[in-house]
Amino acid sequence: MQNNPAAEIVVKTTEDQDTDEVRAFRLRAREWMKDNLPPRLPHEAGNDFDDAKLVERDREIQKKLHAAGFGGHQGITVPVEYGGLGLDQRFEDVFLEEASPYRLPWSYGNATNIAMPCILGHGTEEQKKKYVRKILDGTHLWAQLLSEPSGGSDLAGVLTRAEQREDGNWYLNGSKVWTTGGHHCDMGLCLARTDPTVRKHAGLTMFLVDFHQPGMTVNPIKLVMGGSEFCQEFLDDVVVPDADRLGEVNGGWKVAQTQLASERKGMARGWHVGMHRAETSPYIEPNARYGKIAKKLGTENDSYTRAMIGELIVYDAVSDLIGKRINTGLRSGKFHGEAGAIPSLMSSVFDIDRTKLVSAICGPEAIASVDEKSANGVGMSRVSTHRIGGGTLETQMNLVAERHLGLPRELGPAPDTPFNELRSNKTAKIA
Amino acid sequence: MDIELNEDQTMLQDMTRRFLEDRSPIGALRKQVNASESFDRDVWKEGAELGWIALFVPEENGGIAESAGGVEDAAIVAEELGRVVFSGPFISTCAVTFAIAQSGSAEQREAHLPGLAAGETLGAWCLSGRGPMAGIDAGAITAKASGNGFELNGSAAFVQDAADADLLLVTAADGDGISQFVIPSDSAGVSIEAMEALDLGRRLYVVKFDSVKAEADALLGEAGKAQDALEKQLQTVLALQCAETVGVTDRTFEFTLEWVNDRYAFGRPIGSYQGLKHRLARHCGHLEGAKAAASYAARAVRNDAPDAAIAVSVAKSHCGRMSTEIIRDCLQMHGGIGLTWEHDIHLYLRRAVSNEQLWGSPAAHHERLCQLAGV
């Protein structure tokens, strides 16, 4: 790459702590990146599965990273026999320091943040050798096949059936939905029901499912905003060899817990590993956008508008301060892990309140405008701001109430009720 | 309140909590109300001996300011006072003490601070009148030069503890700027009229100034130049009030959680119903927000951070609105018992509703935030 602008950026490093070995690694990475990695563009998304070009480019980056001996994105600490470099964390830190002006293959987030820890934690030697390597060498993008049309919050209630037939293979039938980037993925972690006659958590098994086979239909879902980042899959006798079962038969819930924990851990650490988040000010800085809108509409002296702007400044500040408080408490041990649901809940609550007020400040300009396309975005946020993904608002509230505040669980069917005796969308209608 | 209290602060918190549980629990307020007393002078003096006011007073004037954490420490005390809906003149005396320590001459400090620190002298702050910016903007009282001193005219409203106060801190505003005075509350021309207040542990007054003479030595700082000092006093009061509001809300939330766990309806604890759970989860989030905003504000004020003015208004708006909302809903969850005079929750709700409006309503602070943000 000639005149790579990213190579000109002076990066703050911890070079003074380098050993000779680390130093050599750093210099090799620095030299290689200059000629091989595209610069990081300030407004480019970390990942966007509606942008096929971005996904394809990330595949190329991951392949190059691996081929050049850097172990692929997030592979530096992974053992050599599984395709990584087997080096300690310091090497990864150094690599990410050097990579900070460049684009890294963040489309692999589900693969590296979720699939990889699940396979490393629960997989057989063969699975680790095969599938971890194929993540790191760029062959496989991964999806999570969890939610189903019958429900998402009640994850252990999945209906997709897996049966082992005489040939030893498993045959999967059912439908999965809300799969991030499913239309680009090669493999998926699929939670399926293997025994409906035992209680619901006990009859589940996790499978490593190949997307590229005849029984697998992947349909992108068009969302209210118009884009398609998520898919629905129909599994029609999808074949999974027994060698691709992850964990014990009927032990799928255990794997799913690792999966969900990995997701939370990834979110907490920053999903796009190596992407530096913008430096945040240690002080409360009111968002200038609100005042600009009012000025443009000539309402900056209207007392009702001013009251709303003041309230918005409060929402932004408090939402941010809650996150800082809970994170500090989690680090110091003052809060248990369950408290982590509080900032997540409250940022959704404030998002919803915020869109309401911003829309009110804009008035009719929020829903149609002669000179500006983006004006619609304000009104549109009233249509699209909801908390569904990653656990609905109601699920978050249950988490805070039951796990953090210790309130008694809602009374449901006896915990040992066999799955096929639970009432469901189907059976309730029959009854 | 703050998630990062140091060892000294944790000790201060424990000590204050134990003292109040012993000497001034919520039941003390009930007794005072029944006996039509304002507050317990003995408890106040014992509290002062624990350093409640001395936190703002330098050592040479009988205080401990040098070794204490200023408004951050006072906020810890305020939060504990909130938990028992304390009725003593804490915020008003802190305001007057802070103002004298901040802007007073050596003579003024020597004259007033030792008595304030010891709990013997009480103060009240006459800042503003009625109207939408009450509790924030000065302008209800004017001061004009007269002879060697000044003549004060006007009327301040919502003045806390004025009838019990020995000293009045008077903030006067006119075309020439802001001037502040410390005068005896029995000065000729001062009349103090009680307002009918909904908070049973807080006494509010209208204080009228009718050609009140303030001698030159009553002037605090320079005439017409007290704007910055005033802002700092306001920030201090707001940080303390928000901390108190947090204590009020936190305690109510605690006993409400116990209640919803213990109270059964239709064969199970009412706290197991999502109808209550979801509301409590939200309240928990907003309460954490109140704690975060109040502790951030106290620290910003103490450190004179560039965002201190914004931080106190953010905290005041959030603590004010959310505490009322949380406690109101906690009362709802108590059912009929919550509406009885005998249950304590109305004492908490009265304090929260009252705090929401004192020292600037949420709407007034939203306006102030616009001004601070350059809108």
Side-chain angles (χ1 to χ4, degrees), chain A residues 108-162:
Chain A
Y108 283 80
N110 273 343
T112 52
N113 292 327
I114 296 176
M116 201 158 77
C118 285
I119 297 167
L120 287 170
H122 299 276
T124 62
E125 233 5 67
E126 287 67 32
Q127 287 169 345
K128 292 183 209 173
K129 280 182 179 151
K130 181 173 173 190
Y131 290 115
V132 174
R133 173 178 296 276
K134 287 190 174 181
I135 289 171
L136 296 177
D137 72 11
T139 312
H140 287 162
L141 278 167
W142 279 74
Q144 303 198 73
L145 298 168
L146 293 174
S147 291
E148 298 188 355
S150 58
S153 296
D154 180 13
L155 179 58
V158 295
L159 296 173
T160 295
R161 285 281 280 124

Side-chain angles (χ1 to χ4, degrees), chain B residues 98-112:
Chain B
F98 173 81
I100 296 173
Q102 174 181 245
S103 314
S105 64
E107 290 74 25
Q108 286 169 328
R109 283 187 280 157
E110 193 41 53
H112 303 307

Side-chain angles (χ1 to χ4, degrees), chain B residues 106-174:
Chain B
E107 290 74 25
Q108 286 169 328
R109 283 187 280 157
E110 193 41 53
H112 303 307
L113 293 181
L116 288 161
E120 284 153 8
T121 309
L122 300 179
W125 182 12
C126 306
L127 166 65
S128 56
R130 295 149 101 163
M133 295 304 276
I136 297 183
D137 282 355
I141 304 156
T142 57
K144 67 172 186 227
S146 151
N148 286 337
F150 296 84
E151 188 186 293
L152 307 178
N153 281 290
S155 171
F158 308 105
V159 180
Q160 294 177 24
D161 304 302
D164 290 307
D166 308 291
L167 295 175
L168 297 180
L169 166 64
V170 184
T171 303
D174 50 44

Side-chain angles (χ1 to χ4, degrees), chain A residues 282-286 290-292 294-295 300 303 305-315 317-318 321-322 324-326 328-330 332 334-335 342 345-346 349-350 352-353 393-398 400-402 404-411, chain B residues 1-5 10 253 257 260-261 267-269 271-282 284-293 295-296 305-307 310-311 313-315 317-318 321-322 363 365-367 369-375:
Chain A
Y283 301 116
I284 301 172
E285 285 180 353
Y290 310 133
K292 277 187 195 149
K295 203 157 215 163
E300 77 265 38
S303 63
T305 299
R306 294 177 71 80
M308 290 193 285
I309 292 176
E311 198 167 342
L312 281 164
I313 294 171
V314 176
Y315 290 170
V318 176
L321 289 170
I322 291 177
K324 285 180 177 158
R325 173 180 169 84
I326 303 292
T328 306
L330 287 172
S332 72
K334 199 131 192 186
F335 284 128
I342 298 172
L345 166 65
M346 295 314 288
V349 166
F350 281 117
I352 293 162
D353 290 348
L393 196 61
E394 289 71 18
T395 307
Q396 300 294 320
M397 291 194 285
N398 281 345
V400 170
E402 291 173 6
H404 177 67
L405 296 177
L407 291 170
R409 287 181 70 96
E410 185 97 4
L411 220 63
Chain B
M1 167 171 72
D2 197 326
I3 200 74
E4 298 174 285
L5 292 185
T10 308
F253 196 65
L257 281 181
V260 301
N261 269 302
R268 55 177 165 132
S272 68
Y273 292 96
Q274 280 191 342
L276 269 67
K277 245 185 224 175
H278 285 187
R279 278 146 63 193
L280 287 165
R282 245 174 222 259
C284 165
H286 281 307
L287 177 54
E288 288 299 330
K291 291 176 183 178
S295 56
Y296 182 86
D307 61 345
I310 292 176
S313 286
V314 163
S317 161
H318 182 82
R321 287 177 306 129
M322 289 308 152
H365 281 279
H366 294 157
E367 170 57 33
L369 282 169
C370 280
Q371 291 169 18
L372 290 167
V375 177

